[in-house]
Amino acid sequence: MPRPIHSLLAALAVASLAACGGDAQPERSARGPRSNVVAVASGPTQLVAEALLGADLVRTVAPAGTRMADWRPDDEAIRQMVDARRVLVVGGEFEPWLQRTSLPPSRTVTLTDLVPVDRKIEVGAIEHTHGGGESHSHGGIVPTVWTDPVQLRAAIAALAESLPASLDGVERTNVQAPRAALLGRIDAYEASLRELGATASGRTVIATDHGLEYVARAAEVELEVALLELDGGGPPNDQGVRDLERLAKDPSSHAGVLVWPGAIDAAFAERVQEQLGLVSVHFDLGGEVDGPGSSDALERLTASVDALREAIQESRSR
């Protein structure tokens, strides 16, 4: 009987890790033994790697707070990734730089390959323009899979044995407690999502981007997206503006907020509140790496869920 494609992808990814781990001799590059670290560049990969290995064995190659959509790795960052035992990435459309950077396939592990295909959300492409610009479209698999607690647990389970085994000196017993602690925090995040769903109570949440799709599904919240694409500082997506006006028309149907997974455009947000009565709320999806002493991806994600719940409560009380 044929195996489902997602099972094959996960099995191949884990087998690739296990093949070079355990008691094998240290891997070597042209310059000598590879660095005994896992390289990461984003918040979710940093979260998973540090929970399974400890911060000392994780090399973060992107500056704290860097959006993967904007990042272009320099020569030093590429050197560090090529020199690492493993490179952990999210995959999909989340890291555009991967399309222009050659990483060793046998040592690159992709989170989206480790989660069930039937949990991924795909959005259709919609043709649109920005002001007088050329018509174009977007679509495909939503890459923010780590925001789904089910998929995050699946990725951790797939990596729990094989990622530590790819490095020297990582005992299985040393990673059990940090892994359990992370799983407990995911349970708490999931509880916050349930509270968000109860607060929304059947009202639609409007967002400016599809990055919130998994959060909405996990919270059992109806999500509508007005794809504005204002991150670049240019005019908004014309179709997105029309969608926003349509979605905000009936105040009894929505939660009274406009959720921005990216940066809030202050001028546009002010007009939206004045003309449509929607209060803008920033939602940190945890995509960027965190610096020393700052909140990690899951902490920021959970805080954003709680802040959105409070904003909906305040909006409904007005």
Side-chain angles (χ1 to χ4, degrees), residues 190-203 205 215-222 305 308-309 312 316:
E190 195 167 38
S192 289
L193 287 168
R194 288 194 294 270
E195 292 179 9
L196 172 62
T199 300
S201 188
R203 295 200 176 205
V205 170
V215 170
R217 182 178 66 185
E220 298 185 357
V221 167
E222 182 70 28
V305 171
L308 176 56
R309 173 177 51 78
I312 293 173
R316 296 193 65 177

Side-chain angles (χ1 to χ4, degrees), residues 258-264 279-285 288 303-304 307-308:
L258 178 62
V259 187
W260 298 69
I264 293 178
V279 175
S280 287
V281 180
H282 173 63
F283 195 102
D284 188 340
L285 292 166
E288 297 82 17
S304 291
L308 176 56

Side-chain angles (χ1 to χ4, degrees), residues 16 21 34-35 51 86 92 98 124 142 165 179 219 225 233 239 265 287 318:
S16 173
R34 298 196 184 281
S35 297
R86 297 292 179 269
L98 282 174
V142 179
R179 177 191 174 193
V225 174
Q239 181 60 50
D265 183 297
R318 288 197 298 267

Side-chain angles (χ1 to χ4, degrees), residues 71-265:
W71 189 54
R72 303 292 182 269
D74 58 17
D75 291 345
E76 176 59 18
I78 293 173
R79 185 197 67 76
Q80 292 189 47
M81 287 188 282
V82 171
D83 193 48
R85 292 282 185 90
R86 297 292 179 269
V87 183
L88 186 58
V89 299
V90 173
E93 298 296 321
F94 181 66
E95 297 129 328
W97 56 269
L98 282 174
Q99 301 170 14
R100 297 178 293 276
T101 306
S102 295
L103 296 178
S106 64
R107 291 186 287 109
T108 301
V109 185
T110 305
L111 285 186
T112 52
D113 289 346
L114 304 176
V115 299
V117 168
D118 59 5
R119 294 292 303 179
K120 297 177 185 177
I121 295 175
E122 184 171 6
V123 295
I126 299 177
E127 199 79 14
H128 60 273
T129 60
H130 296 252
E134 294 184 1
S135 177
H136 62 284
S137 62
H138 308 282
I141 299 294
V142 179
T144 53
V145 294
W146 70 90
T147 62
D148 178 354
V150 174
Q151 294 189 82
L152 184 54
R153 291 191 191 98
I156 293 167
L159 294 171
E161 300 285 344
S162 50
L163 195 61
S166 69
L167 302 183
D168 300 328
V170 183
E171 299 293 335
R172 179 179 178 183
T173 53
N174 293 343
V175 300
Q176 289 178 336
R179 177 191 174 193
L182 177 57
L183 292 174
R185 292 173 56 206
I186 295 172
D187 291 343
Y189 166 58
E190 195 167 38
S192 289
L193 287 168
R194 288 194 294 270
E195 292 179 9
L196 172 62
T199 300
S201 188
R203 295 200 176 205
T204 298
V205 170
I206 307 171
T208 65
D209 185 88
H210 286 287
L212 214 70
E213 293 282 355
Y214 298 108
V215 170
R217 182 178 66 185
E220 298 185 357
V221 167
E222 182 70 28
L223 180 74
E224 291 283 359
V225 174
L227 192 62
L228 298 177
E229 298 180 290
L230 280 164
D231 287 350
N237 170 347
D238 296 342
Q239 181 60 50
V241 173
R242 289 192 290 271
D243 289 341
L244 182 58
E245 292 172 339
R246 171 181 56 81
L247 293 168
K249 192 172 182 179
D250 180 9
S252 67
S253 66
H254 60 71
V257 296
L258 178 62
V259 187
W260 298 69
I264 293 178
D265 183 297

Side-chain angles (χ1 to χ4, degrees), residues 19-28 33-34 36 85 165-168:
C20 299
D23 297 326
Q25 293 297 313
E27 296 181 32
R28 300 183 68 85
R34 298 196 184 281
N36 190 46
R85 292 282 185 90
S166 69
L167 302 183
D168 300 328

Side-chain angles (χ1 to χ4, degrees), residues 4-77:
I5 186 66
H6 66 270
S7 298
L8 288 175
L9 287 171
L12 287 171
V14 172
S16 173
L17 281 170
C20 299
D23 297 326
Q25 293 297 313
E27 296 181 32
R28 300 183 68 85
S29 68
R31 296 183 300 277
R34 298 196 184 281
S35 297
N36 190 46
V37 295
V38 170
V40 299
S42 67
T45 55
Q46 180 188 32
L47 174 75
V48 172
E50 290 188 354
L52 295 178
L53 301 171
D56 290 344
L57 295 177
V58 178
R59 177 178 293 162
T60 303
V61 299
T66 302
R67 293 178 68 246
M68 287 294 96
D70 302 328
W71 189 54
R72 303 292 182 269
D74 58 17
D75 291 345
E76 176 59 18

